[in-house]
Amino acid sequence: MTTVLKNSAFDPSAIVDAVRSVLPESRPLPLHEPEFIGREWEYVKDCLDTGWVSSVGSYVDRFEQLVADASGTRFGIACVNGTGALHIALVAAGVERDDEVLVQALTFVASCNAVYHAGAVPHFVDSEGETLGLDPDALDAYLEGIAEIRGGAAYNRKTGRRISAVVPMHVFGHPIRMDRLVEVAARWHLALVEDAAESLGSTRDGRLMGSGGLLAAVSFNGNKTITTGGGGAVVTNDEALAKRLKHLTTTAKLPHRWAFDHDEIGYNYRLPNLNAALGCAQFEMLPQFLSEKRALAERYRAAFATVPDAEFFGQPEGCVSNYWLNVVMVPDRAAREALLEALNADGIQARPCWTPMHELSFNGECPRASLSVTEELVDRIVNLPSSPKLGRQG
């Protein structure tokens, strides 16, 4: 990552002009909006015509296979949303009450909330500038200083709690160094649960995101690359885990023609057939949307190539990113705020990165590593309009 000195004389006008040169003149321009140009109406109408609108139906089965295929895994389990998917993935991975779960501080709050939903404690770790996501080398060095292995599990020497899992998130669709994190997770006996909410279709060294760990959670919220309106999924290569996830997400009900017997505490995390039908049609459009999003990213990159105080964040080496949200890096927080004000005043929706997890009030007592890279990145990131159709013009 290029280090940029603070510049009190920052003028956002050149960056705004570069953004305008990429985007259509019509306003307002949302950050990321869904688009339904395939067979969505046909598939949803089929649900209505046949009456299969609730939590079972052929579209659910088809959707689960499609998400598995798009993640490079054998199994997919549809869920009500991405947060629920991550929560149930942590439960299935063996995370228990009062465990600690390693989560990068630079992430959406759902990564953190899912840990709390599992009864565990988030433990925040740093990102790296080259990917924006979790830094495996920094994590390994940090665990050397605070953790020990006892009885085949990692324990935090300072808190006494077990550290049971690590949750990397591929920020804005850019893959982290998964191969290295797999090594670190194995060394410290950690379950590796990917938060692949933003990275559908992204690859690193030819491998799809969602396939590198024990389990992964995917989101199909309305602002994602493709959407089911509200929905998510867990993907895995482990057949036993897939069966357990299906059981847990369907209220842990034992199969029977009429009896309602449940053998453990379960969750009603089922995705309705209506939403799955929408998702099946959206999956048919995924190759086109990915191509259009990458075309848009290339135009942004070219537009910023000669603009002072602006650095387009491109895909990491060895990666093919879905560019879920495009990023321009500016010198510092003051520049970030000036650019956000200028773009939004022009009807171009732009936003900063999320508030880092360790800065949220309810996370104040959570353990954390040094987060210096996270804090620098947050000061510099501005997200730009990234809807697929914006890559279709010109």
Side-chain angles (χ1 to χ4, degrees):
M1 180 179 63
T2 303
T3 299
V4 182
L5 298 177
K6 295 183 181 297
N7 179 4
S8 59
F10 175 81
D11 180 358
S13 58
I15 301 178
V16 174
D17 287 343
V19 174
R20 286 174 178 157
S21 74
V22 171
L23 300 177
E25 294 182 2
S26 60
R27 301 288 189 272
L29 282 171
L31 190 70
H32 199 291
E33 60 181 331
E35 190 172 17
F36 307 111
I37 56 176
R39 303 177 72 181
E40 291 88 356
W41 285 97
E42 176 186 342
Y43 291 173
V44 171
K45 184 177 184 300
D46 182 48
C47 293
L48 299 175
D49 289 343
T50 61
W52 290 95
V53 298
S54 193
S55 55
V56 294
S58 62
Y59 288 106
V60 174
D61 297 337
R62 189 193 309 181
F63 177 78
E64 290 181 328
Q65 188 58 57
L66 287 168
V67 69
D69 292 344
S71 304
T73 61
R74 295 175 60 202
F75 305 102
I77 301 89
C79 288
V80 65
N81 54 46
T83 305
L86 186 55
H87 166 222
I88 205 66
L90 291 170
V91 171
V95 172
E96 298 179 350
R97 181 167 298 278
D98 296 326
D99 282 356
E100 292 180 8
V101 175
L102 299 159
V103 180
Q104 64 206 50
L106 184 64
T107 188
F108 181 55
V109 71
S111 304
C112 177
N113 286 343
V115 175
Y116 284 124
H117 296 334
V121 178
H123 186 151
F124 300 118
V125 295
D126 212 1
S127 290
E128 59 182 345
E130 290 74 17
T131 68
L132 306 180
L134 190 150
D135 185 335
D137 295 329
L139 175 62
D140 198 18
Y142 174 63
L143 291 174
E144 280 279 5
I146 63 102
E148 63 184 7
I149 301 297
R150 299 200 313 260
Y155 285 84
N156 186 333
R157 290 198 297 267
K158 296 181 179 181
T159 65
R161 292 188 288 250
R162 182 176 75 138
I163 306 174
S164 57
V166 58
V167 179
M169 199 273 274
H170 308 291
V171 177
F172 310 135
H174 298 299
I176 73 154
R177 292 187 288 132
M178 281 298 297
D179 286 350
R180 174 64 177 131
L181 185 58
V182 168
E183 295 174 355
V184 175
R187 181 185 178 200
W188 292 99
H189 302 263
L190 305 171
L192 202 170
V193 180
E194 282 181 78
D195 185 341
E198 301 176 359
S199 56
L200 186 71
S202 295
T203 66
R204 189 177 193 105
D205 299 324
R207 185 168 191 170
L208 287 161
M209 294 302 96
S211 63
L214 179 66
L215 297 153
V218 186
S219 173
F220 298 95
N221 189 37
N223 66 347
K224 294 300 188 292
T225 302
I226 63 172
T227 184
T228 56
V234 184
V235 294
T236 183
N237 283 311
D238 188 309
E239 185 174 6
L241 276 177
K243 290 179 179 177
R244 174 156 172 73
L245 283 160
K246 194 67 172 179
H247 185 61
L248 287 173
T249 56
T250 55
T251 71
K253 181 182 179 298
L254 296 172
H256 195 279
R257 285 186 297 164
W258 58 79
F260 283 85
D261 290 324
H262 307 259
D263 61 354
E264 61 180 310
I265 297 172
Y267 304 86
N268 186 5
Y269 280 0
R270 296 171 289 190
L271 182 72
N273 201 47
L274 273 170
N275 297 82
L278 189 65
C280 289
Q282 288 271 287
F283 262 114
E284 293 174 1
M285 301 305 300
L286 180 59
Q288 176 180 323
F289 288 166
L290 290 173
S291 176
E292 290 167 347
K293 288 175 71 61
R294 289 183 57 78
L296 176 63
E298 178 56 27
R299 287 214 294 274
Y300 275 131
R301 186 201 63 74
F304 290 128
T306 58
V307 178
D309 295 327
E311 177 186 344
F312 179 72
F313 189 89
Q315 62 193 18
E317 185 177 354
C319 297
V320 177
S321 176
N322 68 5
Y323 285 100
W324 173 58
L325 289 183
N326 287 288
V327 172
V328 61
M329 310 287 284
V330 295
D332 52 42
R333 182 167 294 218
R336 184 194 76 181
E337 293 304 301
L339 180 59
L340 288 168
E341 178 65 33
L343 288 170
N344 282 281
D346 193 38
I348 299 171
Q349 186 180 13
R351 75 174 198 191
C353 196
W354 317 279
T355 299
M357 294 301 99
H358 65 292
E359 294 183 8
L360 298 177
S361 59
F362 55 87
N363 290 330
E365 300 302 316
C366 293
R368 63 176 186 256
S370 171
L371 301 171
S372 58
V373 175
T374 294
E375 289 164 353
E376 180 191 350
L377 290 171
V378 167
D379 283 351
R380 299 183 57 207
I381 288 172
V382 174
N383 290 129
L384 302 172
S386 300
S387 302
K389 68 179 180 182
L390 298 176
R392 202 174 302 152
Q393 59 169 343

